[in-house]
Amino acid sequence: VQPTCATCFGDRCGYSPFENNINVDCSGGVCVSLAHGPPGSKASSVSLESDNCAEQFCTVPLTAGVSHFTDITLTNFGPGYGLTFKAFVVDPHTSIVHEWSYTTDNFTVTPVSPIISSVMFSHSLGQLSVLFDRETNMNSITVAGAEACALTFDDSFLSSLGSGPFCTWPSAHEMLISVGSGAYVNASTRVLLSETSDITATAFYLNSPVTSLPATTTKGLIVGGVQIGDIFPSYPALLPLPMPVFTTPRRLTACSLIQADGGFSAGNGGRPFLDTQWSLDMRESSAFRGILEAAMPVAGWNKIRISFTSFLPGAINTITVTLRPQTPVLPGTNMTITGLPGFLPKTLDCPFTTDGSGAWVPCLGADGMCQSIPLSGPSRHLFSGDQVTNNGGPVLQYFQGILEKHVIFQVRPDKFVPDDDDTVFSFDIVNPYEEFTQSTLKLTATCEKCMCINDVCNQTSTYGFDSSNFDTNCERLCTSTTASYEILDKELTPPTGTITETSSVLGASNIITVSFTPSDPLPPRATITIGGMSAVAPPDGPVCITGPGAAFFSCSDCSGGSLHRAQWQNGEFVLIVRNDSSIPSDSPTVFSFEVKNAGTRMREACGAADPNTCASTVKPTLSMVYMPSTVYQLDPYVLQGDVLGSGATPMLYGVSVEETHAIQGAVNLISLRLQSNLILPPGSQIVVTGFESSPHDSGQTPVYTPSGLDVGLVPLSQCFVQAGATGTALLDASASSLTLEISEACTIPAGYQLHFAIAIRNPTASQTPPTIRISVSHPGCTACALTCTCGLGPRDAFTIPAAVAAGVIFGASDALSLDLKTIGEDNPVASQLNNITVTITVPLLLKPSTTITVSGLTGLSTPSGSISIVEEDHTVHEFTTVTGEWDASLGTLVFTIQTAVPANDVLSATFELRNGAVASSGTPRVEIHAGVDICGEAHPACPPGFLSDLVGIAATQLQGSVLRLGGAPTLKVKTIRELTRVMGAYNILTVRITPNFDLLPGAEITISGLANTQSPSVQQITVVSHFSQLLPNCSCAPAPIETPASCGTCSEGTLAVINQQFRVWQPNADSGGWTYFGRPAMLGTHPA
């Protein structure tokens, strides 16, 4: 609201929004209400004590012209919301209530962002659990570790987590942080999310997902009606106590020296051992031949679990181990898992790499050489690493002897595996590509010579855990059983699948597309064979495959990327699933490859008039092999589809042409479309003829294509080349032809719709629209094979006969002219100001650079200089004020438009000049130098404004008679109204006049016809320019008035009177009881 809080009614100013004591909606300020929104939605405000702003108005008082809404709350999420803000003001003369209002543009209300409900330390204080109040997207993080911490938290909080913290999302509600070494996070550390984190929640509106804003820890922001405050971690109810861990031999002789060694101790809770009270507790010991012997024969495990991510042959399998011993596992202990297969390196096909081959290093816990594999997971820091692998980080080692295979991991010299918390770590293996007999998985733990058995520790004993079976880690989903590892061969059932082609032309290149869904996921090195195509099979060798499913299959490195390949073998098309992939069973796998059709028709005899409609005799089949050494044989499945029958002749279809306009001599955007039943390889030439009588210069010309139109991964615009210049064609004006060549980057599939456009100037005169023909040819080549030995062989030459394009262009039927050209005026009186309006329409979009010259305005009195011009686009009712240059000697006005005017919109320009003393002898004309948009407002081939031309419209005589003078001075507006018709009442008359001539000082105005008034004749009567000046108690508004100077028209005596009275003139037009000034209409019993 304007800061002065004052509204003008015509020339009467100084009126403010209603005061608070006025009984109207939203009194005293600005109110908000819900303009529109999803069904059942409403707006509310806690601070304004309203549960529904549509029923109990949400009004905020004005302060210096501003109403500040702090907590508008919208009940439901979804699109299509709009808010309306209103303020009201009353005209004291008419008692009409005027409304100021503003309705926002539509906006979407997102679901409430996730809020951190708590941050809690684990019992060991080694982990923090960050809980959110709703399901999240887990920050879109797919891997756990230090990087997940860095992507989630602000640096100030991240640094408190120590070196190498580990973050993971065990569920969509919780992030788990394992602190690193040197952590100092505590209950006074403020938890802060990173400003770049993107932890969001998703809800559904009418089955469409709507995503919330990211979670935030910015203090003071309101989320879901709750103000965000400081967030600190909380300690568990029972804090952990430091517990000494005594590790002793199982047997203790009578004379053995008991020695306390704190060498393995760590942390900041140390104290002198002399302060520790201790004694022997023999309740769990028994005498055995005079020697104390432990009752528990050997240490064991409270939890020993293992889980796997895949049992597909050759797949990368992430194994997760969860341990909790009955007593802490000592530093230096070697832990061994048996039952897993031998080491296989990670072999990636695209590009080809081998991870781990040749990286044999000395074993950490055994003699010999081992293969190291990086450990991951929250407890990985408890284990040792080597200096070769994983940058010295924690590793697991494969030991692969002649008679045994196992994996070893070693507890770090300065760490225990705790007995009061889970130890969780993971590592990757490559499953065998062949069957692996079921093997039970076991764990042993041994610490060689880690326990002293005399006072000088020159005699040591081995400490450890006996071999224990792993349990399956199935949590609550099942009952844990003894874990085992097994890779099985599988008997596949028939798949579902289809086959299609792009061309049935005899001897032509044809792209075959296969789509199939296997009954089970297919592992790396599984084989898919397409048979039944021996009639078109080329010699044995590699062939390229494309399409979305090509990435599942083996490939070779090529310059610029990897090329996926299959093999022709003995007339069959063979594909092998690549090492680091697998084919899913829940969605189709689609791939394409190119073959050459047979040179003769291969179709059944069906008696049809067109033999090419008969079914093909070629019946491709699909068979699958699960693993190289499988014992199962799946019968070939006949793919559904009719392909490779051939027999058609080359042709173009779907050929059409269109133009942007038919204006003579102007640049025109010609758009062409065509499809071919042949593949158009690189080097193919497209020739368009029929561009007759164009004055356009011959040479290279740009080719425009619709945005987003691609051929494979290549934008269509890069598929055309001319003399080495991509995206161009050759225009030969003398031959009326256009030639386009397909570039080396593209092979246009048969059936693909080519859509492109060129800019060419129309003929300068009208003509019979020419016939546009399009033909395609290829000269043939002997070296057209793709790189990387994807042999397609040489290309044969071909010619596709010219096809006539549908559509009419190049008639140049429209001469560039003004469809509407008028001039008018509002005052023909000599020597008086005159508003002159020129109105035109142009058949092209006018750009803001367009210059308009109005000439023939001779004999006027306005001196040369700059004048203001009001432009109006009548179609959209937009007004723009520009400055033009007026030349009185030439009678010309020149101005440039400031906003674009769409084609055929009505544009008017109004400007004020003073008439001359005599009539003008000039003939008004308008001349235009226009920048026009050739692309149009929504042309698919190029965006508006991208392609423009400068055209001119010669001086055109305007229709209409102006500046001829002869009009008489008159009052254009002459009204009188009264305040009241009550008999005997004081009446105030308001006169409004607008002359078409200058009203000079000293002019006399006579108002007659005022008979029958009770006012006596006087020499002078009060005449004021503002109604309020007749009322001394209204002329000083707004009240209160502190000093006479603040009022200006009120004397001290008048101020005294104002304090004692208030006069009201009440209109008598209403008898229905409406309220005025917030008060009821006065009855006859009330003083007036």
Side-chain angles (χ1 to χ4, degrees):
V1 179
Q2 48 194 340
T4 59
C5 299
T7 297
C8 294
F9 299 103
D11 53 4
R12 297 177 286 105
C13 297
Y15 302 109
S16 306
F18 282 153
E19 302 297 333
N20 288 322
N21 60 348
I22 305 301
N23 185 24
V24 295
D25 300 346
C26 311
S27 62
V30 178
C31 72
V32 65
S33 61
L34 185 65
H36 42 76
S41 56
K42 64 180 181 179
S44 62
S45 171
V46 175
S47 65
L48 301 178
E49 300 180 347
S50 175
D51 292 331
N52 188 347
C53 293
E55 298 174 355
Q56 183 177 351
F57 299 105
C58 297
T59 307
V60 175
L62 285 164
T63 302
V66 174
S67 289
H68 186 201
F69 293 84
T70 59
D71 63 342
I72 300 173
T73 302
L74 301 167
T75 50
N76 303 324
F77 68 88
Y81 271 97
L83 294 176
T84 296
F85 296 86
K86 297 181 180 179
F88 296 89
V89 71
V90 68
D91 186 339
H93 285 202
T94 63
S95 297
I96 295 175
V97 177
H98 294 270
E99 174 187 297
W100 286 332
S101 68
Y102 165 71
T103 299
T104 66
D105 293 335
N106 284 6
F107 58 89
T108 297
V109 175
T110 62
V112 177
S113 303
I115 300 173
I116 295 179
S117 55
S118 68
V119 181
M120 180 69 71
F121 278 101
S122 66
H123 177 69
S124 68
L125 303 185
Q127 293 180 320
L128 292 99
S129 171
V130 182
L131 290 177
F132 291 86
D133 66 340
R134 65 200 63 223
E135 283 194 3
T136 72
N137 66 340
M138 299 188 288
N139 204 19
S140 301
I141 292 175
T142 57
V143 295
E147 183 180 359
C149 299
L151 293 173
T152 304
F153 297 106
D154 184 81
D155 289 344
S156 60
F157 177 69
L158 189 64
S159 61
S160 71
L161 301 178
S163 175
F166 188 91
C167 293
T168 186
W169 289 85
S171 74
H173 284 271
E174 179 187 17
M175 174 173 245
L176 195 62
I177 307 171
S178 297
V179 301
S181 59
Y184 56 86
V185 58
N186 55 49
S188 62
T189 304
R190 186 178 171 199
V191 179
L192 292 173
L193 295 175
S194 169
E195 292 184 358
T196 59
S197 67
D198 190 34
I199 302 171
T200 60
T202 299
F204 286 84
Y205 177 80
L206 299 179
N207 296 323
S208 296
V210 184
T211 302
S212 74
L213 295 174
T216 181
T217 50
T218 302
K219 188 176 181 180
L221 286 185
I222 296 175
V223 179
V226 178
Q227 193 173 60
I228 298 295
D230 291 330
I231 302 173
F232 299 101
S234 300
Y235 291 128
L238 295 175
L239 290 174
L241 297 175
M243 294 292 292
V245 177
F246 293 98
T247 305
T248 65
R250 288 178 55 194
R251 293 182 177 181
L252 190 65
T253 64
C255 297
S256 295
L257 176 65
I258 300 174
Q259 177 176 301
D261 180 1
F264 288 136
S265 299
N268 299 321
R271 64 197 61 153
F273 192 78
L274 294 176
D275 296 344
T276 300
Q277 301 295 317
W278 65 279
S279 61
L280 290 178
D281 182 355
M282 295 182 290
R283 287 174 297 180
E284 294 188 16
S285 300
S286 59
F288 179 75
R289 298 180 183 177
I291 299 175
L292 293 178
E293 185 175 75
M296 183 184 296
V298 68
W301 304 93
N302 289 324
K303 186 183 291 185
I304 173 171
R305 294 177 180 173
I306 193 167
S307 65
F308 306 88
T309 58
S310 175
F311 285 107
L312 277 179
I316 297 174
N317 188 356
T318 299
I319 299 175
T320 299
V321 175
T322 303
L323 302 174
R324 183 178 291 190
Q326 294 171 344
T327 183
V329 180
L330 291 179
T333 299
N334 292 324
M335 307 176 75
T336 303
I337 300 176
T338 57
L340 290 174
F343 172 77
L344 288 174
K346 284 185 184 178
T347 303
L348 308 180
D349 277 352
C350 301
F352 182 83
T353 59
T354 301
D355 180 18
S357 60
W360 292 94
V361 296
C363 296
L364 292 172
D367 294 333
M369 301 298 287
C370 289
Q371 187 79 230
S372 292
I373 299 174
L375 283 180
S376 60
S379 305
R380 71 192 189 286
H381 62 282
L382 299 178
F383 301 101
S384 300
D386 64 59
Q387 297 304 312
V388 177
T389 310
N390 198 24
N391 295 320
V395 297
L396 171 146
Q397 290 191 323
Y398 257 102
F399 177 82
Q400 195 159 327
I402 298 176
L403 299 177
E404 60 176 332
K405 301 179 181 68
H406 53 256
V407 294
I408 307 167
F409 45 100
Q410 187 180 73
V411 183
R412 277 177 51 172
D414 58 344
K415 297 290 184 181
F416 285 88
V417 175
D419 62 346
D420 59 351
D421 202 356
D422 285 352
T423 293
V424 181
F425 60 90
S426 303
F427 56 95
D428 290 344
I429 70 169
V430 177
N431 290 336
Y433 293 96
E434 310 293 347
E435 276 197 308
F436 184 85
T437 305
Q438 186 179 42
S439 174
T440 300
L441 300 175
K442 298 177 179 291
L443 175 70
T444 58
T446 305
C447 187
E448 298 284 348
K449 302 179 180 179
C450 357
M451 301 189 58
C452 300
I453 58 175
N454 60 16
D455 54 346
V456 295
C457 204
N458 57 10
Q459 298 182 34
T460 57
S461 174
T462 296
Y463 158 88
F465 293 65
D466 284 347
S467 177
S468 301
N469 291 338
F470 274 101
D471 294 329
T472 55
N473 189 11
C474 57
E475 301 294 342
R476 301 176 183 176
L477 301 179
C478 59
T479 301
S480 294
T481 58
T482 299
S484 62
Y485 181 91
E486 183 180 22
I487 300 297
L488 293 174
D489 190 6
K490 185 166 291 187
E491 184 176 10
L492 300 171
T493 58
T496 59
T498 61
I499 188 167
T500 60
E501 66 181 357
T502 61
S503 178
S504 59
V505 176
L506 287 167
S509 292
N510 190 1
I511 295 178
I512 301 295
T513 299
V514 175
S515 174
F516 77 101
T517 304
S519 59
D520 296 275
L522 298 182
R525 301 190 184 179
T527 302
I528 295 95
T529 301
I530 311 295
M533 299 189 298
S534 58
V536 296
D540 288 358
V543 64
C544 291
I545 53 174
T546 58
F552 291 124
F553 300 104
S554 57
C555 71
S556 60
D557 292 333
C558 291
S559 58
S562 298
L563 198 63
H564 296 278
R565 303 188 309 167
Q567 294 281 335
W568 282 103
Q569 295 179 2
N570 300 320
E572 294 183 323
F573 190 77
V574 181
L575 306 98
I576 298 176
V577 181
R578 64 186 176 94
N579 282 327
D580 51 344
S581 184
S582 62
I583 292 182
S585 60
D586 56 357
S587 61
T589 295
V590 181
F591 62 90
S592 301
F593 58 95
E594 187 174 340
V595 298
K596 188 174 181 180
N597 285 341
T600 58
R601 184 180 292 114
M602 304 180 66
R603 297 186 179 275
E604 298 173 356
C606 65
D610 182 2
N612 292 327
T613 62
C614 297
S616 172
T617 58
V618 180
K619 306 295 183 184
T621 61
L622 183 145
S623 58
M624 299 176 296
V625 174
Y626 188 74
M627 61 171 53
S629 61
T630 184
V631 298
Y632 302 108
Q633 186 66 41
L634 176 66
D635 292 335
Y637 167 79
V638 178
L639 292 166
Q640 303 302 305
D642 189 79
V643 298
L644 299 173
S646 66
T649 57
M651 64 176 293
L652 297 177
Y653 60 98
V655 181
S656 66
V657 64
E658 61 181 342
E659 63 184 0
T660 305
H661 60 80
I663 297 173
Q664 296 168 5
V667 172
N668 196 354
L669 191 71
I670 305 297
S671 181
L672 302 105
R673 291 178 172 86
L674 66 116
Q675 292 169 272
S676 164
N677 66 353
L678 282 181
I679 293 174
L680 303 185
S684 299
Q685 289 196 342
I686 302 170
V687 178
V688 185
T689 60
F691 297 115
E692 298 174 1
S693 306
S694 173
H696 213 103
D697 293 334
S698 298
Q700 286 185 344
T701 185
V703 178
Y704 305 101
T705 58
S707 176
L709 198 57
D710 300 331
V711 179
L713 299 177
V714 181
L716 179 58
S717 60
Q718 298 181 20
C719 290
F720 303 104
V721 65
Q722 189 60 233
T726 302
T728 63
L730 179 64
L731 178 65
D732 186 343
S734 61
S736 304
S737 67
L738 176 78
T739 302
L740 304 97
E741 182 176 331
I742 304 300
S743 69
E744 289 295 332
C746 294
T747 294
I748 310 298
Y752 180 90
Q753 185 188 61
L754 279 174
H755 182 192
F756 57 91
I758 63 161
I760 184 172
R761 195 170 295 279
N762 278 342
T764 56
S766 176
Q767 66 176 19
T768 301
T771 299
I772 303 299
R773 291 181 170 85
I774 303 178
S775 62
V776 182
S777 63
H778 191 280
C781 65
T782 58
C784 294
L786 294 178
T787 57
C788 298
T789 63
C790 237
L792 296 177
R795 296 280 185 186
D796 294 333
F798 65 81
T799 297
I800 304 178
V804 176
V808 177
I809 67 167
F810 243 49
S813 57
D814 297 338
L816 188 57
S817 61
L818 301 176
D819 297 330
L820 177 65
K821 42 187 182 298
T822 63
I823 189 169
E825 64 183 358
D826 72 347
N827 191 2
V829 179
S831 303
Q832 303 301 321
L833 291 175
N834 191 357
N835 283 315
I836 299 172
T837 300
V838 175
T839 304
I840 60 173
T841 59
V842 179
L844 290 176
L845 184 146
L846 299 180
K847 302 181 73 175
S849 59
T850 296
T851 299
I852 299 176
T853 300
V854 182
S855 60
L857 308 177
T858 58
L860 300 183
S861 301
T862 301
S864 299
S866 299
I867 65 172
S868 293
I869 302 165
V870 177
E871 297 177 359
E872 180 185 3
D873 185 335
H874 291 258
T875 304
V876 295
H877 303 292
E878 290 184 352
F879 293 87
T880 307
T881 300
V882 300
T883 299
E885 293 301 321
W886 163 247
D887 189 325
S889 62
L890 298 177
T892 59
L893 175 66
V894 181
F895 62 95
T896 301
I897 65 173
Q898 300 297 316
T899 57
V901 179
N904 301 312
D905 272 16
V906 178
L907 174 67
S908 68
T910 301
F911 45 93
E912 186 180 66
L913 297 172
R914 186 173 292 277
N915 292 334
V918 296
S920 172
S921 61
T923 300
R925 288 180 167 84
V926 64
E927 181 180 351
I928 299 178
H929 292 278
V932 295
D933 188 352
I934 303 304
C935 284
E937 296 176 320
H939 200 286
C942 62
F946 182 76
L947 185 62
S948 60
D949 189 23
L950 186 64
V951 300
I953 300 178
T956 303
Q957 183 174 342
L958 294 166
Q959 299 170 355
S961 178
V962 296
L963 306 179
R964 296 298 181 253
L965 305 184
T970 184
L971 297 178
K972 294 190 292 185
V973 176
K974 41 188 182 296
T975 63
I976 186 169
R977 63 189 179 113
E978 63 184 356
L979 180 65
T980 180
R981 289 178 287 168
V982 175
M983 292 184 294
Y986 285 102
N987 199 355
I988 297 175
L989 304 181
T990 300
V991 177
R992 186 181 300 274
I993 61 174
T994 304
N996 69 346
F997 54 89
D998 295 335
L999 199 60
L1000 302 175
E1004 185 177 277
I1005 300 173
T1006 300
I1007 303 173
S1008 59
L1010 303 179
N1012 299 324
T1013 177
Q1014 297 188 51
S1015 297
S1017 299
V1018 292
Q1019 292 296 320
Q1020 290 184 334
I1021 188 170
T1022 301
V1023 177
V1024 296
S1025 60
H1026 293 283
F1027 172 81
S1028 62
Q1029 293 173 348
L1030 293 175
L1031 308 175
N1033 57 332
C1034 292
S1035 61
C1036 295
I1041 301 166
E1042 298 177 354
T1043 64
S1046 66
C1047 180
T1049 61
C1050 293
S1051 64
E1052 292 287 352
T1054 303
L1055 290 174
V1057 174
I1058 290 174
N1059 291 332
Q1060 299 173 11
Q1061 66 176 333
F1062 187 81
R1063 300 192 189 95
V1064 174
W1065 276 259
Q1066 180 166 318
N1068 63 350
D1070 185 12
S1071 59
W1074 287 82
T1075 59
Y1076 300 95
F1077 294 91
R1079 307 174 190 278
M1082 293 181 178
L1083 303 178
T1085 57
H1086 293 170

